Amino acid sequence: MPQGTSVVVHQPMERRILLVDCDAFFVQVARLEDPDGAGRAPLLIVGGSATGRGVVTSASYEARAFGVRSAMPTARALRLCPDATVVGVPRGAVGRYSREVRSALQELAPVVQAASVDEFYLDLSGTERLFREETFEETAWRIREEVLRRTRISVSLGGGTRRVIAKLAASFAKPAGVHIVPAGGEQDFLNPLKLSALPGVGPSLVERLEKKGLHTVEEALGVQEEWLQRWFGQRRGAWLYRKVRGIDESRVDPHERRKSISSERTFFEDIDDDRELERRLIQLTTSLGSTLRTKGFRARTVTVKLRDHDFTTRQHARTVPEPIESNAAIVDVAQTLLEELRQQRRVPARLLGVGLTGLVPADEARQLALFDEPVAGESDRDRDVSRVVDSLARRFGDDAILPGRLVREPGSTKPDGSERVDG
């Protein structure tokens, strides 16, 4: 190398990832929408009904102190916390406030990805010079206060050099706080955690790990990858080896595709009539079909879920050869799945749910279809009819045009119960 020549070594940029988690989001929205009702109830349960039907979508921190948790039957939640006030999920308002939070974050961070209706990843990598007078923690606190000022929604933020670390750190920040794991301190942060705290480590895997004497990340850290693969299979063992080390190369992607659209309904009274269950199924599927088309997607997989009167939960799914979007095709698949579930166990049902997954952009699906045979069960006419129905609903309301099986005789309408929609 000639004298006087200098070599500049560029160190890899240290990632600065935040997870913004809205604190008890559904509770906050319910209180903002009804300040004189839900807003005055410290013990608040969102989801289900005061009669005990349905399941808990969210609960105030005061109610959680009594053991109330999301996805718990509302009847059980009321036994744990009998003085709680129960309100329905304010679906429209939830979406509106979620969009407001995301909009605020997009003005505060260069890269924003919605992980769910109440969680958002931010990538602040490379902003050190822009925010040179702030530490990473100070930046997180500033974002928290600005979101609260703009949207009235309280959030907690977890931060680190990887998405999985930011996700775990957020649980230490709640409620209304900030927890940053410094670069180089990831393993010290992970070691004392229970394995059940790691994303993706479910109850069945926890049980198998405990049988091996493994309860914490630090205990699993001492096991060689080869043994993890022998115990849990090659893929899962390799995945667990990386997970306990916090290895996560996933990026914050603002264009990540939506993964699923689903809706479920808990009835005020158990339903044992096949025709009535079919009617409720059509209601759910036509609503989801409209949402699917509005978002510009088609779905590959349809799932139907039943929760029986004794809280036994069952579900069936079917993946079609090509993505579908029409009401006719979605209903056809969903009805078959419901029939299979009912044939297996014909007992009164308290909840019915439908999910659409394997979503692909409609434009992409149309391009692929140019080289393939038409989708069995879904014609161009089916898609056109569904879009016309969507257009009429936007102009004249959702009840402007309905499938014949949804039309009831005057005075025979029954209440449908609580409903939860996920995106």
Side-chain angles (χ1 to χ4, degrees), residues 28-29 104 279 301 320 333 410 416:
Q28 288 197 73
V29 173
R279 193 184 76 83
T301 302
V320 296
V333 176
D416 287 330

Side-chain angles (χ1 to χ4, degrees), residues 112-256:
V112 179
Q113 176 185 335
S116 67
V117 72
D118 60 352
E119 289 186 336
F120 305 86
Y121 282 103
L122 313 184
D123 192 341
L124 297 175
S125 305
T127 62
E128 294 87 342
R129 291 185 178 181
L130 182 62
F131 304 137
R132 59 179 177 270
E133 296 182 359
E134 292 181 333
T135 64
F136 191 17
E137 182 174 355
E138 288 170 341
T139 299
W141 277 108
R142 177 173 56 81
I143 290 173
R144 202 204 91 78
E145 296 304 319
E146 190 64 18
V147 170
L148 179 61
R149 185 185 68 82
R150 296 188 188 192
T151 69
R152 297 183 293 166
I153 295 296
S154 171
V155 300
S156 297
L157 292 90
T161 57
R162 308 160 201 169
R163 280 176 46 142
V164 66
I165 298 297
K167 170 85 172 171
L168 290 166
S171 63
F172 287 84
K174 298 181 76 69
V178 168
H179 188 92
I180 303 296
V181 178
E186 292 86 358
Q187 201 61 59
D188 288 338
F189 168 71
L190 289 170
N191 282 347
L193 298 182
K194 291 185 177 180
L195 290 166
S196 58
L198 299 180
V201 179
S204 60
L205 181 54
V206 167
E207 184 178 352
R208 295 176 65 188
L209 286 163
E210 289 178 346
K211 288 180 179 178
K212 300 294 183 182
L214 305 177
H215 302 84
T216 67
V217 169
E218 189 170 21
E219 291 170 344
L221 199 64
V223 181
Q224 295 179 349
E225 183 176 6
E226 180 183 358
W227 280 105
L228 292 175
Q229 291 179 333
R230 287 186 184 182
W231 290 342
F232 307 113
Q234 186 173 359
R235 290 182 61 185
R236 178 171 281 192
W239 172 85
L240 187 59
Y241 181 85
R242 293 170 58 86
K243 184 67 71 172
V244 298
R245 287 161 176 77
I247 299 173
D248 179 14
E249 299 173 356
S250 62
R251 317 299 289 185
V252 178
D253 181 4
H255 306 296
E256 186 175 57

